[in-house]
Amino acid sequence: MEGGALTQHRSEAGHTLPGPVSEHERDIDRVLITGEEILATVADLGARITEDYRGKDLLLVGVLKGAFVLMADLSRHIRLPLEFDFMAVSSYGAATQTSGVVRILKDLEQDIEGRDVLLVEDIVDSGLTLNYLLRNLRSRRPASLEVCALLVKAGIQRVALDIRYVGFEIPPEFVVGYGLDFAERFRNLPYIATLKPGVYAEATT
Ligand code: IMP
């Protein structure tokens, strides 16, 4: 029995990926980033964050819903005592485009004044959501405020943003998986992919 739980834990940390969800697979056009690539990058980000925040009192703030998968994986690669909090935001606008008007659906549960805060985002597209969140959180006077984003769509941000930890730069296409949805589906795909055009058409008819 000795080491049993640890052995189990190690094999989980060894990134055994689950099988595909067949009902989702037929809607996938192209896999942009495999699950293995994501997990390797998330492990690297966790190692960098561990070094950068050693001796600090780190609070991870996840932006729901999309960041829940990244939060779970990333936090287990940060070898430091951590606290967690979450915000939920919605941006008004069409299904696959942000309007820049952000509404806070769920606010933080704790005061962040004087805390070292790392905001964890799934994807930065126009950057308007992140820009709003950063301004909002800065006004609460944290000791530091940095961003970790798994994906940044290259070259299309409408505001200048300083993102300290970036997983991948991707082309400006709509993607799903690893927490990201289209019409609330596909969040549990272990990889990042584009959808067949017909899937969007179906959703609007
Ligand atoms: P931004 O304000 O344009 O940067 O958009 C940010 C939010 O829009 C993200 O946190 C996602 O919730 C959503 N979003 C933007 N691009 C995508 C995408 O390609 N797939 C899924 N959701 C996206």
Side-chain angles (χ1 to χ4, degrees):
M1 195 58 223
E2 198 189 336
L6 267 184
T7 312
Q8 172 69 22
H9 180 77
R10 269 196 213 105
S11 77
E12 280 167 16
H15 311 318
T16 315
L17 290 168
V21 179
S22 53
E23 291 85 347
H24 283 166
E25 297 280 303
R26 59 171 172 254
D27 292 336
I28 300 303
D29 188 14
R30 212 156 32 90
V31 174
L32 249 58
I33 310 171
T34 66
E36 284 83 0
E37 288 169 326
I38 296 172
L39 293 175
T41 295
V42 168
D44 287 347
L45 290 172
R48 278 178 58 199
I49 293 166
T50 302
E51 286 314 306
D52 294 351
Y53 285 90
R54 207 176 283 290
K56 296 199 171 156
D57 189 16
L58 179 58
L59 174 67
L60 281 193
V61 171
V63 185
L64 295 172
K65 298 176 191 171
F68 78 99
V69 180
L70 175 60
M71 278 286 264
D73 284 343
L74 179 67
S75 62
R76 285 175 292 172
H77 286 284
I78 301 176
R79 303 288 188 209
L80 300 171
L82 278 182
E83 283 182 44
F84 294 80
D85 210 336
F86 291 91
M87 287 181 86
V89 295
S90 82
S91 51
Y92 296 104
T96 61
Q97 266 199 333
T98 187
S99 65
V101 182
V102 178
R103 190 160 53 118
I104 294 183
L105 303 175
K106 181 209 172 302
D107 206 343
L108 297 177
E109 287 173 11
Q110 53 189 295
D111 187 2
I112 59 167
E113 185 167 353
R115 299 295 307 270
D116 289 300
V117 176
L118 180 60
L119 189 64
V120 179
E121 257 283 27
D122 48 6
I123 190 164
V124 180
D125 185 324
S126 69
L128 294 173
T129 306
L130 182 58
N131 189 48
Y132 171 87
L133 279 171
L134 287 174
R135 275 191 289 132
N136 181 295
L137 293 176
R138 243 180 240 124
S139 72
R140 308 181 196 194
R141 304 158 65 86
S144 68
L145 178 61
E146 300 290 347
V147 180
C148 177
L150 181 70
L151 305 172
V152 175
K153 292 190 188 172
I156 59 161
Q157 282 71 56
R158 284 155 58 182
V159 280
L161 289 167
D162 183 15
I163 306 173
R164 182 137 175 208
Y165 307 98
V166 176
F168 302 89
E169 286 215 339
I170 60 167
E173 294 177 76
F174 192 84
V175 292
V176 296
Y178 201 76
L180 290 164
D181 75 307
F182 172 66
E184 292 303 325
R185 293 172 61 215
F186 307 105
R187 292 190 196 273
N188 58 331
L189 290 176
Y191 49 77
I192 300 287
T194 57
L195 292 174
K196 290 180 182 154
V199 182
Y200 302 112
E202 261 170 48
T204 53
T205 51

